[in-house]
Amino acid sequence: MSVATLRVEASRQRLRLAMSPPPQSSVHRRAARTGTLEALWLRWRSLPLVRDVVDSVASWWASHPLRPMGRVAGEASGAVVRPIAQRHPWWLMLGAAVIGAGLARARPWRWIFRSALFAGLAPQLAARVAANLPLESWLTMLVASSSSPRARASAAAAATPSDAGADPLAS
């Protein structure tokens, strides 16, 4: 092969690489191949509303005052639990069952809405969702919520003529 032919082939190869779609990450490939929970999460995460909610919660948690304490507690508990799990896995499972029963009895999920911990989440979430919804959907929702069901029914009846052959201006 001549030098010119090699250059043309190299140029074609560069064009093929430039025009091909970007490669998926290994997580995307593995999730798509196995059909696991990761694939389902990636599909859900690609929806705009879900993405906004997840991003709002993540940014809220990033600035939350309990986040550093949670990280320290997680690292400390990992350092304590790991040796116990390696030596006595059954004790660890028994402890997890006792803690789970205690949580079920205490029902801490009922405390969420009474707590000041989540005070900043609702406004931030509402603002992000409101910023990403198109204006037409806000107007449609406003019109639908502001009119009564009777007014909507009468407006629909007025829009469709009941007597198609009768023309009020013809007489």
Side-chain angles (χ1 to χ4, degrees):
M1 288 184 134
S2 67
V3 175
T5 307
L6 290 174
R7 283 184 181 172
V8 168
E9 287 299 320
S11 172
R12 287 181 181 165
Q13 183 62 26
R14 285 193 305 269
L15 283 172
R16 279 189 212 105
L17 287 174
M19 293 173 59
S20 65
Q24 290 182 335
S25 70
S26 62
V27 172
H28 286 102
R29 282 193 303 266
R30 184 174 22 126
R33 191 176 41 224
T34 59
T36 61
L37 192 60
E38 283 181 75
L40 180 64
W41 173 247
L42 290 172
R43 274 188 265 148
W44 272 93
R45 178 98 166 123
S46 66
L47 297 172
L49 186 62
V50 174
R51 184 178 52 239
D52 291 339
V53 168
V54 169
D55 290 344
S56 294
V57 170
S59 64
W60 166 78
W61 180 245
S63 62
H64 197 277
L66 291 180
R67 182 172 181 251
M69 198 167 67
R71 289 183 108 177
V72 169
E75 291 172 6
S77 66
V80 170
V81 171
R82 187 171 290 117
I84 294 172
Q86 290 172 348
R87 280 184 268 147
H88 307 289
W90 291 104
W91 283 107
L92 184 67
M93 289 178 56
L94 180 65
V98 168
I99 290 172
L103 284 173
R105 178 91 170 120
R107 298 180 181 161
W109 53 88
R110 292 187 177 187
W111 307 340
I112 288 176
F113 296 110
R114 289 186 239 160
S115 172
L117 292 176
F118 292 93
L121 180 60
Q124 185 177 9
L125 181 61
R128 185 171 296 221
V129 169
N132 288 334
L133 283 179
L135 181 63
E136 293 82 22
S137 64
W138 281 108
L139 292 175
T140 304
M141 187 173 60
L142 180 66
V143 167
S145 65
S146 66
S147 62
S148 67
R150 243 184 227 164
R152 285 191 294 251
S154 65
T160 57
S162 60
D163 202 5
D167 186 12
L169 299 178
S171 51

